[in-house]
Amino acid sequence: MTAPFEIPGLVLAGGLSRRMGSNKAMVQLGDAPLISHVISRITPQVSDVTINAANGWAESFGLPLLPDTLNGHAGPLAGILAGMRHFQHRGDAASHFLTAPADSPFFPDDLVARLYEHLSDNAIVIAASSGQLHPVFALWPLALANDLEAWLKNDANRRIRAYLARHVTIGVAFPPLETAKGSLDPFFNINTPDELALARSYLENLQS
């Protein structure tokens, strides 16, 4: 098994941001774009970071870009498949890789270490909070690449939870963040302008 620092990370930033009205990964949160907060949190926890995004906007972050390998917008599973194939073809020692979405800036700084404690060959190890799984925060086995590719050949198979139901999953619970504004789900994600405003208020409390 690989140690946590040998596990590569993939930031999922291929969504359409329909509810935000603009590319949510690039909206301003504090003094940086939203995705910058995610990159800063994930970088110390993994061996290296790749961004799953279409060409044309994320080049400025100086990280490798990995577009979806499927045509159209097939959701996070398409990005996860691209990551599986990418890290397989690199041929390094990793058996798993971490995914984190570009719209969740407050996830724990011990995310990988905690998930790694439950690492199993073909199980998907998933972060959870308040009894809810967050499958875009997970350690994914590279060994599932062929299975996921076959699953996604059916256009009806786009729901990540339907895919998880076919496999062994291990949930790892994380506590809420306590702030002066109240408890915050560490996997709070930002989809709308109202959620962005809420995230800005939480960020101010976390930094104060």
Side-chain angles (χ1 to χ4, degrees):
M1 292 294 184
T2 54
F5 54 85
E6 294 174 331
I7 290 175
L10 183 68
V11 177
L12 299 172
L16 295 175
S17 304
R18 289 190 181 97
R19 286 182 282 170
M20 184 64 71
S22 62
N23 183 355
K24 61 183 175 180
M26 293 298 287
V27 297
Q28 199 74 6
L29 179 63
D31 59 1
L34 177 54
I35 192 174
S36 292
H37 294 270
V38 175
I39 292 168
S40 295
R41 279 191 174 268
I42 196 175
T43 297
Q45 302 189 51
V46 295
S47 60
D48 57 277
V49 180
T50 299
I51 300 176
N52 165 233
N55 294 318
W57 66 267
E59 287 82 357
S60 62
F61 296 98
L63 295 171
L65 292 187
L66 181 64
D68 288 352
T69 53
L70 299 179
N71 293 326
H73 295 279
L77 283 175
I80 291 163
L81 175 60
M84 287 178 178
R85 290 303 190 202
H86 172 71
F87 295 121
Q88 273 185 334
H89 293 157
R90 273 197 341 191
D92 52 24
S95 61
H96 294 67
F97 69 104
L98 176 79
T99 55
D103 61 1
S104 295
F106 303 120
F107 63 89
D109 57 13
D110 62 349
L111 175 67
V112 175
R114 292 280 317 283
L115 296 181
Y116 179 80
E117 291 173 359
H118 302 272
L119 201 66
S120 177
D121 285 346
N122 289 311
I124 304 165
V125 188
I126 305 170
S129 61
S130 303
Q132 177 81 19
L133 287 176
H134 304 285
V136 286
F137 286 99
L139 291 179
W140 294 86
L142 301 186
L144 294 182
N146 289 343
D147 177 83
L148 180 55
E149 185 169 26
W151 169 260
L152 288 174
K153 285 180 179 177
N154 183 342
D155 289 342
N157 294 336
R158 294 293 181 261
R159 295 180 63 83
I160 193 168
R161 292 180 189 277
Y163 182 72
L164 294 176
R166 304 174 64 248
H167 293 281
V168 176
T169 59
I170 300 171
V172 181
F174 289 82
L177 295 172
E178 299 303 331
T179 78
K181 188 178 174 61
S183 295
L184 172 65
D185 187 327
F187 304 106
F188 173 78
N189 67 308
I190 299 167
N191 288 308
T192 67
D194 286 346
E195 289 169 346
L196 177 60
L198 185 58
R200 285 170 173 160
S201 67
Y202 275 117
L203 181 65
E204 291 171 2
N205 279 278
L206 289 167
Q207 292 177 336
S208 60

